[in-house]
Amino acid sequence: VPELRIRPFDPDAASDRAAVLDICVKTGDAGGDATALHPDPRALTDRYATPYLELEPGWAWVATLAAGGGDGSGRDEDRDDGGGAEHLDPVVGYVLGAPDTTAFAARFAGWPSSLTPEERTAHAAAMLLPERHDYPAHLHIDLLPRAQGRGAGRALVQTLVDQLAERNVPGLHLVVDPRNQGALAFYTRVGFTELRRTPDAVVFGRRLGPATPGVEPG
Ligand SMILES: CC(C)(COP(=O)(O)OP(=O)(O)OC[C@H]1O[C@@H](n2cnc3c(N)ncnc32)[C@H](O)[C@@H]1OP(=O)(O)O)[C@@H](O)C(=O)NCCC(=O)NCCS
C-alpha cells in the first residue's frame, strides 16, 4: 500500500507550487476535473490556490504519496541543489488555510494576479461571509482521485486545526458546492457542522477549543 504523508508546503520547491495548482484545477468542478471549463486555469488558481501560497505560505500543507510504494525508499530524501529543495514523492493533495479571513480578503484584493481589479474586488467581497465572525479562519482542501478515501483529508484537516487552535483561532469555516456529495459527507465526518445553505453554496463551520499544552487527547 503506497504511503501517504503530510508535510508543510515548501515555498522554495517549484514542484510543490506546480502540483498545488494542478490539483486545484483537477478538482475544481464540485470535486471533479475542471480543466475543460477554464481555458485559462488561472481563473481558478488565482482565486483558490496561488493567493494562499503567496499570502499565507505557512498555513499550507501537502499530502505526498511515497513513490517507492511504501517501503520508505526515496522518501524524505530531499535534495537541495541550492536553487530550492526538490521533493521526490509526488504531491497528491493539499490543505490551504487563511487564519483571518477578513484580513486575507483585504490582502487578496490588493494582490496582483491575472484577475481584473473588478474580479479581485468581487472575489474578496465574496470571502466576507458573516460566518467569519465566529469562525475567522477558512480553508480549501483537495486531493487527487488516487489519494482520496485513505484518510489523507482527515489528516490534513487535523494538521490545520491543530495549528489554528495553537494560535487561539476560535473557529474555521469553508464553503462547498452543494453538488459535491463526497465533500458534504466528508466535512460532517471530520467535525464540521452545516451552518447555512443556499442554492449554490453550503457553509460549514467548526469551533476550535483552546490548545491544552501537555494534555494528549484520548
Ligand atoms: C473531500 C476530500 C477532501 C476528502 O478527503 P479524503 O482523504 O478522501 O477523506 P478521508 O479518507 O480522510 O475520509 C474522512 C471521513 O470522511 C468520509 N468521506 C470521505 N469522502 C467521502 C465520500 N466521498 N463519501 C462519503 N464519505 C466520505 C470517510 O468515509 C471518512 O469517514 P470515517 O473516518 O468516519 O469513516 C477528498 O475526497 C477530495 O479532495 N475530493 C475532491 C476535491 C474536493 O471535493 N474538495 C473539497 C472541495 S470543498
Side-chain angles (χ1 to χ4, degrees):
V1 179
E3 189 183 352
L4 281 157
R5 307 190 130 232
I6 310 296
R7 64 164 169 80
F9 165 70
D10 181 352
D12 295 323
S15 55
D16 269 20
R17 176 175 307 269
V20 169
L21 301 197
D22 180 58
I23 295 164
C24 175
V25 175
K26 292 209 165 100
T27 58
D29 181 24
D33 193 342
T35 305
L37 298 178
H38 298 282
D40 184 347
R42 292 175 302 176
L44 279 178
T45 58
D46 278 356
R47 287 181 170 90
Y48 302 110
T50 311
Y52 297 84
L53 303 181
E54 292 292 328
L55 302 174
E56 295 287 5
W59 290 95
W61 287 266
V62 296
T64 64
L65 203 50
D71 63 356
S73 64
R75 164 166 61 70
D76 276 1
E77 300 283 327
D78 296 350
R79 295 182 299 244
D80 189 345
D81 61 3
E86 270 186 70
H87 299 277
L88 299 182
D89 293 338
V91 169
V92 292
Y94 58 74
V95 65
L96 309 176
D100 179 342
T101 296
T102 307
F104 184 80
R107 294 174 69 204
F108 175 86
W111 173 71
S113 71
S114 70
L115 306 180
T116 67
E118 293 73 23
E119 288 171 330
R120 257 175 254 158
T121 303
H123 186 68
M127 281 185 217
L128 298 178
L129 303 179
E131 284 79 7
R132 76 189 186 282
H133 299 300
D134 286 336
Y135 307 85
H138 77 270
L139 70 76
H140 295 287
I141 183 168
D142 292 302
L143 292 155
L144 291 176
R146 71 178 192 271
Q148 293 171 13
R150 301 165 169 215
R154 181 185 287 281
L156 285 165
V157 165
Q158 196 57 46
T159 302
L160 174 63
V161 159
D162 287 346
Q163 289 300 310
L164 290 169
E166 197 162 301
R167 302 285 193 89
N168 298 312
V169 176
L172 169 64
H173 73 273
L174 59 94
V175 179
V176 191
D177 186 319
R179 295 175 297 154
N180 192 343
Q181 292 297 329
L184 294 174
F186 169 72
Y187 291 119
T188 57
R189 300 300 297 172
V190 298
F192 289 83
T193 303
E194 183 177 322
L195 301 175
R196 189 160 56 92
R197 191 180 275 252
T198 70
D200 51 19
V202 183
V203 183
F204 280 88
R206 176 170 167 178
R207 292 287 293 177
L208 307 174
T212 314
V215 178
E216 292 296 323

